[in-house]
Amino acid sequence: MTTDQTLHNDYPAADFILSGDPNKAMQQMMQTIDTLRDIYVEENQALGQADTKRFLALQDRKITEARRYQVGARQLLERKSDLVHIDEALKQELAGRQEEFSGIMSENLKALDRFRRSIDRLNDRVMTTAREAVQAKNVPYGAGGNLHKNERPVSLGLSEEA
């Protein structure tokens, strides 16, 4: 779960410089896309298995590779005029890899959304259980000693934003 702000930090990708040869530069970018794709595939598997340790362990690598991709893409945009000389087969291959990568990114976003919703449900269940436990222990008695249901709001003294 990288953010734009996170990507601007000084990660090791700052020294990533593409080759002066446009064809080789495109191959370097495709290699970066492949590495990032592999990380996202592994992240999708971790999310599917609810393996949060593995998911969190991937984040530093993902940020580094996303930064490399960002730096490389910026370099390609700056050298746009050189890119017209790239082999047509290489352009086709890059387009195919970007399309595949977009599909994996879409799967990743869906998996992250499912994961977020399950965490929200877990949080709601924990808070509901805590409220019920507090209400069960806080039994009010009436003036005549009769037991009344506690209908007033009860503060748990906890932040509900877990």
Side-chain angles (χ1 to χ4, degrees):
M1 291 190 274
T2 62
T3 64
D4 189 44
Q5 185 178 19
T6 304
L7 292 178
H8 292 296
N9 290 341
D10 292 326
Y11 282 92
D15 59 353
F16 180 57
I17 299 173
L18 294 174
S19 171
D21 176 15
N23 288 322
K24 189 170 182 181
M26 290 303 281
Q27 289 173 338
Q28 287 174 301
M29 280 303 292
M30 286 190 292
Q31 183 179 2
T32 301
I33 290 170
D34 288 345
T35 303
L36 198 52
R37 181 199 65 222
D38 292 344
I39 292 170
Y40 276 107
V41 166
E42 192 174 346
E43 183 176 272
N44 288 346
Q45 290 171 349
L47 287 169
Q49 297 168 356
D51 187 348
T52 53
K53 287 182 182 180
R54 194 167 104 199
F55 171 79
L56 292 172
L58 292 168
Q59 299 312 299
D60 286 340
R61 277 183 41 218
K62 182 172 74 170
I63 290 169
T64 299
E65 287 305 314
R67 180 74 174 134
R68 284 175 59 92
Y69 178 81
Q70 183 184 40
V71 168
R74 188 176 310 129
Q75 290 176 39
L76 288 178
L77 287 174
E78 291 170 358
R79 298 170 38 193
K80 196 180 336 183
S81 61
D82 293 345
L83 299 180
V84 295
H85 305 295
I86 295 175
D87 293 335
E88 191 60 38
L90 199 53
K91 286 181 185 179
Q92 300 273 335
E93 187 177 351
L94 178 63
R97 287 187 188 190
Q98 285 182 323
E99 186 175 329
E100 178 189 9
F101 183 66
S102 293
I104 291 170
M105 285 293 300
S106 177
E107 288 177 34
N108 184 261
L109 291 173
K110 289 175 187 173
L112 285 170
D113 189 50
R114 281 191 305 271
F115 189 69
R116 181 192 53 77
R117 286 192 319 259
S118 67
I119 294 296
D120 288 345
R121 284 191 305 271
L122 177 62
N123 181 51
D124 290 345
R125 182 67 184 142
V126 167
M127 294 308 295
T128 299
T129 303
R131 282 187 198 103
E132 290 170 355
V134 167
Q135 286 179 345
K137 290 180 181 178
N138 189 16
V139 181
Y141 291 93
N146 296 330
L147 186 61
H148 296 289
K149 183 176 183 211
N150 185 3
E151 295 181 7
R152 65 179 173 80
V154 176
S155 172
L156 296 177
L158 299 173
S159 171
E160 293 186 15
E161 295 180 23

